[in-house]
Amino acid sequence: MKSIIKWATLGGVLILIELHCSSIPMVITQSQLFNGKAPESLSAEGKVIESGMVAELAQSNIALNDETASEWIKKDKRRMLHVVYRVGNLDKTIKFYRECLGMKLLRQRDIPEEGYSNAFLGYGPEESNFSVELTYNYGVDKYDIGTGFGHFGIAVDDVAKMVDLVKAKGGKIVQEPGPAKDGGPIVSLVEDPDGYNFELLERGPTLEPFRQVMLRVGDLDQSINFYKKAFGMELLRKRDNPDNKNTIAIMGYGPEDKNTVLELTYMYGVKSYDKGNGYAQIAVGTDDVYKTAEAIKLYGGEIVLEPGPLPGINTKIMACIDPDGWKTVFVDNADFMKELE
């Protein structure tokens, strides 16, 4: 059974319709598709898919081979834009991030007709810095974070001082400040109001304090190869930690002291993880979502949303999942800048 996604108008509202050859059409609004509230359906093989994802939304006539894809990826201007996840109390989480973690509220919007609100926070303007996109779905006050998501990492001037502030505000300390096991700088681990962990690393002033997003994977070498070839990321470093029974790989689009990076962690003997329903995706900028989609297909990636413009704002995007099912959305760079304006 094949799923086909088409834009349509219903009562003056632009919507997505998922058509199954043997089922009743499923209507999906824009907010359901992108804030994680879309209902689920089963593919012919019995695999759960998010409605609107396996799509024929837009077709590209671009054909890439290994050589042309590799050249395109090297020339493409990519950077990690933001990470999206769901929270149970938007105002409470914003307050914690501003007062305890030192973030700035960059923009916020409420979409009552679609039942959700979101807010972007970070340490600098979205034009140049990484940010977090918090999504609150009306009436949902708790999410399951699962075992696959690890933590977010931020660099701070004084870890102990920030930990004291978190304590004073009633926050939870998962790990008290202390030297890293490898003899590195002072680190600590704190928990936000929704249970997401933030690793605090003591480091001098930096243009990008948001250091990393850590996700767990089942086959580290496979993931490294995928992110290098399909996403064009560099393997910045790799380290085995026998005492902790894990191996980590740091992937990114530039030096980790100046850019937000992705930390992939393999726990010895663990091949799969529960992803829960809290963490959603990372957004990455690209000069051409159509070429990016073709390159990802070439290197074995699964496209869950074919490239095309979003209704209303016309920002072109595409979405894919990595070998472990972690989702990434690629956003057209020029359209993203216009959206910020």
Side-chain angles (χ1 to χ4, degrees):
M1 181 172 62
K2 190 175 184 181
S3 298
I4 301 176
I5 299 301
K6 299 293 182 184
W7 292 113
T9 303
L10 180 65
V13 178
L14 192 59
I15 58 173
L16 285 173
I17 299 180
E18 181 174 10
L19 302 173
H20 299 281
C21 60
S22 60
S23 65
I24 299 173
M26 183 176 296
V27 176
I28 307 164
T29 65
Q30 179 187 341
S31 65
Q32 286 178 320
L33 182 61
F34 294 102
N35 73 14
K37 292 182 66 179
E40 292 181 336
S41 60
L42 292 178
S43 68
E45 296 75 26
K47 179 182 177 182
V48 175
I49 60 173
E50 288 189 36
S51 300
M53 284 190 167
V54 181
E56 291 181 354
L57 177 60
Q59 296 296 326
S60 171
N61 294 320
I62 301 166
L64 299 177
N65 56 37
D66 185 67
E67 182 178 353
T68 56
S70 178
E71 290 177 357
W72 155 247
I73 290 172
K74 288 177 181 178
K75 292 190 299 182
D76 193 18
K77 296 180 178 64
R78 298 184 179 182
R79 73 177 180 93
M80 292 171 59
L81 302 176
H82 54 255
V83 61
V84 185
Y85 51 104
R86 305 168 183 99
V87 300
N89 186 318
L90 190 58
D91 291 337
K92 183 177 181 180
T93 304
I94 290 173
K95 182 180 176 67
F96 180 85
Y97 284 15
R98 294 177 69 182
E99 294 184 355
C100 296
L101 303 182
M103 293 188 190
K104 300 175 183 178
L105 177 61
L106 304 173
R107 55 187 170 118
Q108 184 175 358
R109 63 177 183 172
D110 185 37
I111 317 294
E113 65 273 17
E114 297 183 9
Y116 80 98
S117 304
N118 63 11
F120 290 78
L121 295 98
Y123 294 102
E126 291 180 71
E127 291 85 350
S128 58
N129 288 72
F130 190 78
S131 65
V132 298
E133 179 183 345
L134 308 177
T135 298
Y136 168 68
N137 293 311
Y138 290 5
V140 183
D141 60 6
K142 189 175 183 181
Y143 290 94
D144 174 20
I145 296 176
T147 58
F149 170 79
H151 63 256
F152 302 118
I154 58 175
V156 299
D157 293 334
D158 190 327
V159 169
K161 183 178 180 180
M162 180 168 284
V163 167
D164 287 342
L165 181 60
V166 172
K167 288 179 180 178
K169 298 292 184 179
K172 182 178 178 180
I173 309 302
V174 179
Q175 176 186 319
E176 291 287 345
K181 290 184 178 181
D182 60 0
I186 302 297
V187 296
S188 180
L189 201 65
V190 302
E191 186 177 288
D192 80 357
D194 295 273
Y196 296 99
N197 285 336
F198 278 80
E199 181 185 70
L200 311 180
L201 174 73
E202 193 159 292
R203 193 169 72 184
T206 174
L207 295 175
E208 182 52 85
F210 202 108
R211 295 173 45 242
Q212 61 181 219
V213 177
M214 191 275 257
L215 302 174
R216 298 183 176 94
V217 299
D219 185 326
L220 188 59
D221 289 335
Q222 180 186 39
S223 295
I224 290 172
N225 186 60
F226 176 81
Y227 280 94
K228 286 175 69 176
K229 287 191 171 183
F231 282 25
M233 289 187 177
E234 299 177 62
L235 174 60
L236 302 172
R237 61 187 173 95
K238 183 179 179 183
R239 185 180 74 234
D240 186 42
N241 305 299
D243 292 343
N244 295 332
K245 297 183 178 181
N246 68 36
T247 306
I248 68 168
I250 304 298
M251 311 289 298
Y253 292 111
E256 58 183 306
D257 61 335
K258 298 178 181 178
N259 300 272
T260 303
V261 297
L262 180 63
E263 178 182 325
L264 303 175
T265 299
Y266 167 69
M267 306 299 297
Y268 292 1
V270 183
K271 296 297 183 182
S272 62
Y273 296 91
D274 171 20
K275 294 180 178 60
N277 60 2
Y279 176 88
Q281 65 215 24
I282 288 175
V284 175
T286 176
D287 287 336
D288 191 320
V289 295
Y290 299 97
K291 285 184 179 179
T292 293
E294 291 303 311
I296 288 172
K297 291 176 186 177
L298 180 66
Y299 293 119
E302 181 180 349
I303 305 301
V304 293
L305 181 68
E306 292 287 348
L310 282 169
I313 59 176
N314 292 320
T315 297
K316 293 182 289 295
I317 71 164
M318 58 78 57
C320 64
I321 56 175
D322 75 0
D324 291 272
W326 295 114
K327 182 180 173 185
T328 299
V329 173
F330 281 83
V331 183
D332 181 275
N333 284 324
D335 290 348
F336 181 68
M337 297 302 288
K338 291 178 183 177
E339 185 179 333
L340 294 180
E341 293 173 0

